[in-house]
Amino acid sequence: MNILTNKLALAAAAAAFSLTALAQSAPDDAQIAGIVVAANTVDIEAGKLAQSMTKNAQVKAFAEQMVTDHSGVNKQAVALVTKLKVTPAESDLSKSLKQGGNDNLAKLKTLKGKEFDKAYVDHEVAYHQAVIDALDKTLIPNAKNAELKETLVKVRPAFVAHLEHAKHIAASLK
Amino acid sequence: MTFRMKAAVAAAATLLAGAALAAPAVHIVLIDGMQFIPQTLEVKPGDTVIWRNKDPFPHNVTADAKGGPASPAIAAEASWKFTAEKRGSYPYVCTLHRMMKGTLVVK
């Protein structure tokens, strides 16, 4: 994929994501919890696939870290909603995240070698950017419970670090 | 700061220094919300520094300079202990999340 199509794909992914976010009314805490769990699960699944598929040590280490970090965030999120007696609920955004995740897995499964690595890492860049946008525009502003809001604020820098890490690897794969 | 306050601070510092000589101190650096808190910590040779990870995923403490802290991955809710020996300023990062930066000063 050249730089232009890469950028276009990123822009398209970001646009699709933010349109979905805008079309939806403000999510409540149960829906926010559902979105957080869906977002992490999608990246854990992609990471597990990449761990088994890639031969690139850098990509493998990144994929392992994504599985570990996002599993940790999910565990914390589930512990918090259990404590708050909130059941994570579906919403347009959680459904669109899951759909995007499934589409990505289906596409990745058709690829091998360097093509796989590039597609996985490029998607990680787009995915993390999209989740940061969702955190900033939708999730953090709408979270009612103070602990839920604090958790979102505290994990945001992890998504930023992952985004920078993914961009760094994407540049090295060119 | 008035002269008297300065004198009191100096006296307190002397006492602390005396205490440090008597028994090495233990310092805690919290890892929370992707930050090292405090970001800069000053200790004396012989002191112990404990990094305590409050984030839900692993971090590490990796200084470039020899003699500085170099931890394995510190799991969520786990801690890692380091005894400062060699004087110097040791900037460090979490190599998993390179935006996380701290400095340990041993003087």
Side-chain angles (χ1 to χ4, degrees):
Chain A
M1 205 188 281
N2 66 37
I3 292 170
L4 181 66
T5 50
N6 209 340
K7 277 192 181 152
L8 285 174
L10 279 185
F17 199 93
S18 53
L19 279 178
T20 314
L22 283 175
Q24 172 185 52
S25 57
D28 61 21
D29 283 1
Q31 289 171 323
I32 290 173
I35 291 160
V36 169
V37 172
N40 284 299
T41 304
V42 158
D43 205 47
I44 293 164
E45 287 172 357
K48 283 182 176 166
L49 178 67
Q51 275 180 288
S52 70
M53 289 288 287
T54 188
K55 305 260 190 298
N56 179 310
Q58 205 183 5
V59 174
K60 199 177 193 92
F62 175 79
E64 275 171 17
Q65 190 190 342
M66 291 309 105
V67 173
T68 305
D69 282 13
H70 288 282
S71 298
V73 175
N74 251 2
K75 201 174 148 196
Q76 187 190 45
V78 169
L80 178 62
V81 297
T82 306
K83 179 182 144 191
L84 298 175
K85 298 188 167 52
V86 168
T87 306
E90 288 281 14
S91 60
D92 289 346
L93 190 44
S94 71
K95 284 182 198 157
S96 117
L97 276 166
K98 286 179 188 171
Q99 188 57 51
N102 289 337
D103 292 349
N104 181 45
L105 289 180
K107 184 190 162 197
L108 288 177
K109 280 174 183 167
T110 66
L111 302 172
K112 281 197 177 98
K114 283 183 183 166
E115 278 189 353
F116 175 93
D117 291 343
K118 280 174 68 68
Y120 167 65
V121 174
D122 284 345
H123 188 269
E124 285 298 292
V125 172
Y127 158 86
H128 281 93
Q129 185 61 63
V131 173
I132 292 164
D133 288 349
L135 280 166
D136 290 346
K137 291 173 189 152
T138 309
L139 307 181
I140 294 173
N142 286 307
K144 299 277 186 299
N145 179 276
E147 271 186 273
L148 177 63
K149 195 188 272 273
E150 194 199 350
T151 300
L152 298 174
V153 169
K154 276 189 174 179
V155 301
R156 184 189 182 278
F159 284 86
V160 176
H162 294 169
L163 174 64
E164 293 309 315
H165 195 163
K167 279 183 179 170
H168 179 79
I169 299 175
S172 79
L173 292 175
K174 294 256 177 296
Chain B
M1 207 186 270
T2 64
F3 174 71
R4 193 170 290 188
M5 271 173 76
K6 274 186 187 163
V9 170
T14 310
L15 276 176
L16 281 174
L21 281 178
V26 176
H27 308 264
I28 307 272
V29 178
L30 278 185
I31 306 175
D32 195 12
M34 299 276 293
Q35 290 185 330
F36 295 109
I37 308 164
Q39 197 168 23
T40 300
L41 176 68
E42 240 183 67
V43 305
K44 296 197 155 30
D47 284 1
T48 296
V49 185
I50 297 171
W51 278 267
R52 187 169 289 163
N53 184 10
K54 305 302 287 178
D55 274 344
F57 37 76
H59 291 297
N60 63 46
V61 176
T62 308
D64 274 342
K66 227 178 145 185
S71 80
I74 308 167
E77 295 302 322
S79 298
W80 181 73
K81 199 189 279 190
F82 172 75
T83 303
E85 279 162 10
K86 205 172 142 216
R87 284 175 212 273
S89 178
Y90 302 100
Y92 62 85
V93 297
C94 164
T95 59
L96 299 167
H97 313 94
R98 286 192 166 270
M99 58 177 37
M100 293 174 63
K101 294 182 165 107
T103 305
L104 177 67
V105 181
V106 186
K107 61 193 274 183

